Amino acid sequence: SDLQKQEEQGELLQPLIFVLLVLCSVLLYFKVSLMDPGFVKSEEEAEAGNSEEQSMVIPHVPSTIKMRRCGYCMVKQPMRARHCQLCQHCVRRYDHHCPWIENCVGEKNHPLFIAYLSVQLVVLLWGGHVAWSGLYFEQSWDWLQHNIFLLMSFFLIVIFTIVVLLLLISHLYLISCNTTTWEFMSHHRISYLRHSELENPFDQGVILNLWRFFC
């Protein structure tokens, strides 16, 4: 492959960058999967931690919509929070429970989750190029025996690249609208959205939505 040729010629910059990117993606994976996604820990924190977003949206939501108490962990849920049955906690700005990281994606780890997907996409695209550069096609059984694992790796990389790319695009779209996967999928079942005067009362324009999310 290209990286192997560069390593044999003593050109170690690109192989080193590739290894560092892989290491970075692994570290981001563990960081996102092990960190607190924004658990609502107590009633006092829930009441004191009303976000700026929540206070800004009150004029567009009927005053009858109040913070409700979770029937599972018995804390008052801030707006945009939801109880996760798998984590057994209410999560602030709940997006979804990700089976790949075995953790919720919420207020605290959502930006890092996007960073993880971005780094992973770069690693997959580069890995796909590396795998392709190592393939020299010949119509023989011996060639297939020697290259079967490289072929399988390439096809797996292509599949995972498509999945990660679609996931990243969908999340960036939702972030630009200042909505979450849960709110997008369950709009008709969420009281503060169903009774709101606006279709999406949290939307403040693409630029401000992205700024508030990442900065």
Side-chain angles (χ1 to χ4, degrees):
S1 68
D2 289 346
L3 287 185
Q4 184 179 357
K5 290 177 182 176
Q6 290 172 357
E7 188 271 333
E8 289 173 350
Q9 294 169 2
E11 301 172 3
L12 300 178
L13 180 60
Q14 288 197 36
L16 182 61
I17 293 174
F18 181 75
V19 171
L20 289 175
L21 274 174
V22 173
L23 181 61
C24 181
S25 71
V26 173
L27 292 175
L28 278 171
Y29 171 83
F30 284 109
K31 177 66 175 177
V32 174
S33 62
L34 296 175
M35 73 181 294
D36 177 359
F39 294 135
V40 182
K41 294 186 173 64
S42 68
E43 185 173 331
E44 290 76 22
E45 289 183 16
E47 290 176 347
N50 289 336
S51 66
E52 186 179 349
E53 278 183 341
Q54 187 170 330
S55 63
M56 291 178 68
V57 78
I58 286 176
H60 306 293
V61 178
S63 58
T64 53
I65 305 297
K66 303 294 183 183
M67 289 173 61
R68 73 182 191 89
R69 189 177 295 277
C70 176
Y72 297 97
C73 51
M74 302 309 293
V75 298
K76 280 191 176 180
Q77 287 183 335
M79 196 175 288
R80 311 192 80 177
R82 184 175 186 264
H83 184 85
C84 176
Q85 296 279 15
L86 296 173
C87 292
Q88 294 297 310
H89 283 286
C90 287
V91 180
R92 295 177 183 273
R93 202 179 183 279
Y94 176 87
D95 189 86
H96 71 288
H97 183 93
C98 181
W100 298 98
I101 63 174
E102 208 39 58
N103 193 13
C104 283
V105 176
E107 185 177 73
K108 290 185 178 180
N109 67 347
H110 201 168
L112 273 180
F113 181 73
I114 298 300
Y116 165 67
L117 289 180
S118 302
V119 173
Q120 193 64 53
L121 181 61
V122 173
V123 170
L124 286 168
L125 288 171
W126 198 348
H129 171 73
V130 171
W132 182 259
S133 70
L135 288 171
Y136 299 93
F137 294 98
E138 295 178 8
Q139 294 183 349
S140 67
W141 178 247
D142 287 338
W143 178 89
L144 184 62
Q145 281 185 315
H146 285 93
N147 290 273
I148 184 66
F149 290 111
L150 189 56
L151 276 172
M152 290 173 61
S153 299
F154 177 75
F155 285 123
L156 279 175
I157 288 172
V158 170
I159 292 170
F160 282 122
T161 300
I162 293 172
V163 171
V164 172
L165 179 62
L166 293 176
L167 191 59
L168 181 60
I169 290 173
S170 65
H171 272 276
L172 289 175
Y173 168 74
L174 293 175
I175 291 166
S176 70
C177 300
N178 198 357
T179 189
T180 64
T181 303
W182 173 57
E183 290 170 342
F184 182 78
M185 300 295 292
S186 306
H187 188 281
H188 61 288
R189 295 195 291 117
I190 301 173
S191 58
Y192 59 81
L193 295 179
R194 190 172 67 246
H195 297 110
S196 172
E197 298 172 6
L198 303 175
E199 184 176 353
N200 179 12
F202 303 104
D203 189 6
Q204 297 177 289
V206 174
I207 295 176
L208 190 55
N209 290 339
L210 292 173
W211 175 264
R212 289 172 62 84
F213 181 85
F214 287 108
C215 306

